[in-house]
Amino acid sequence: MLRYFISREFLRTLLLMLGAGVLLYLLVFFLLLPAYARHGKGVTVPDVQQMSLQQAMDVLDDADLTPFLFDSTYVEGFPAGVVLKQYPEAYKRVKPYRSISLTINQRTPPMVSVPPIEDMILYQAKVSLEGRRLSLGKVILRPDLAENTVLEVSYLGKPVRAGDQVPVGAKIDVVVAKSSGTAKVPIPDLVGLSYEEALNLITSSMLQLGGISYNESGPADQLGRVFGQRPRATVGDSISVGAPIDLFVYGTEPTGNDAPMGEIVEEEVE
């Protein structure tokens, strides 16, 4: 036995085994594994957000990536079926054929229940609606002793009650009590607010939006903000409920035809 371990045949066999081991090591770690992992190669994830699902899938396929529909949700203001989110995010470097998950906008908004806003004051009702992803629509003033309190609630002209189902983003109309006579409210200070913030404060103060004047030459960091109002907000001054307030806003006049949210009207008394 000892003679075999010191023989040329054993040394030749040992050298062959060592050579085969080195060859196998080189083959696995320098050829097979890099090919499997595509070592040194990467793909930049394209930005497919706000594309239609089919368009996004085509773009990802062309980039040697694998798209798959991960989830759907609803965001108001986006077309149905467009991509809202993607993961990994756009411009990340990933391996070829990496799966890219897509979240698209639902075709129909989900339903939510109307909160119990009757008998709330208008501002509280507005906050409660926004907490359910709803918004305040038309505010109708009706003579009543319960000043500034919500008396009735409706959607698309039909009465609704707490717990009734309406689509996310729906505008809820309310009838609000206005005391007889010349009720007054303080003039809100709107200067420095964004247009949306100013409109919300006007509505919650039981006033309404008057005219809007735009100044295109304002500071770049102030675009969309109110730089003046009429009447001005002075400590101690008040204005009649439902009165208009004119705004002066930095920026250009929008081209959309959407009516202001929270329009206030007086209910006609027969």
Side-chain angles (χ1 to χ4, degrees):
M1 180 67 71
L2 180 61
R3 288 182 179 181
Y4 174 75
F5 285 115
I6 62 175
S7 66
R8 290 183 178 181
E9 183 180 354
F10 173 75
L11 293 176
R12 188 183 302 114
T13 302
L14 183 60
L15 289 174
L16 288 174
M17 292 178 63
L18 289 174
V22 171
L23 181 61
L24 181 62
Y25 174 84
L26 294 175
L27 181 65
V28 170
F29 287 95
F30 290 94
L31 183 61
L32 296 180
L33 283 180
Y36 175 76
R38 300 184 181 271
H39 183 69
K41 295 183 179 180
V43 175
T44 300
V45 179
D47 186 359
V48 297
Q49 294 181 102
Q50 298 189 30
M51 293 184 183
S52 68
L53 178 59
Q54 186 59 55
Q55 184 182 5
M57 295 178 71
D58 291 341
V59 170
L60 292 171
D61 282 337
D62 291 342
D64 291 333
L65 297 168
T66 306
F68 78 96
L69 182 58
F70 174 72
D71 195 9
S72 64
T73 185
Y74 181 78
V75 177
E76 187 180 8
F78 286 90
V82 301
V83 176
L84 298 174
K85 297 179 183 178
Q86 64 179 87
Y87 183 82
E89 295 83 0
Y91 312 117
K92 294 280 188 180
R93 292 286 292 179
V94 298
K95 295 176 182 178
Y97 305 109
R98 167 71 186 270
S99 294
I100 308 298
S101 63
L102 304 176
T103 300
I104 65 170
N105 201 30
Q106 294 179 2
R107 296 192 177 278
T108 56
M111 306 296 283
V112 294
S113 58
V114 177
I117 60 174
E118 286 192 38
D119 298 326
M120 286 186 180
I121 64 172
L122 182 59
Y123 178 75
Q124 291 175 333
K126 179 176 179 296
V127 172
S128 183
L129 288 171
E130 291 174 350
R132 297 285 180 93
R133 298 175 65 189
L134 302 172
S135 61
L136 184 64
K138 183 180 293 185
V139 179
I140 303 171
L141 302 179
R142 174 185 295 173
D144 193 278
L145 295 178
E147 180 73 29
N148 201 25
T149 300
V150 175
L151 304 175
E152 296 177 7
V153 184
S154 62
Y155 171 62
L156 297 179
K158 297 181 179 180
V160 291
R161 294 183 178 181
D164 288 349
Q165 298 292 301
V166 296
V168 164
K171 291 186 177 182
I172 305 299
D173 300 330
V174 296
V175 175
V176 176
K178 172 190 174 182
S179 64
S180 58
T182 56
K184 300 282 187 177
V185 292
I187 301 174
D189 187 1
L190 308 172
V191 175
L193 301 181
S194 67
Y195 169 76
E196 291 78 10
E197 291 170 338
L199 183 56
N200 285 338
L201 186 52
I202 288 172
T203 301
S204 62
S205 300
M206 295 194 69
L207 302 170
Q208 62 180 324
L209 179 65
I212 307 176
S213 298
Y214 292 90
N215 183 345
E216 300 181 9
S217 60
D221 62 346
Q222 294 295 310
L223 293 180
R225 294 198 170 272
V226 177
F227 67 89
Q229 66 181 84
R230 186 173 51 231
R232 296 180 179 178
T234 305
V235 176
D237 283 356
S238 59
I239 191 173
S240 298
V241 168
I245 293 186
D246 300 329
L247 299 180
F248 300 86
V249 180
Y250 285 126
T252 58
E253 184 174 359
T255 57
N257 296 320
D258 294 336
M261 182 184 70
E263 177 188 2
I264 296 182
V265 298
E266 291 271 3
E267 186 177 59
E268 294 183 2
V269 180
E270 297 181 356

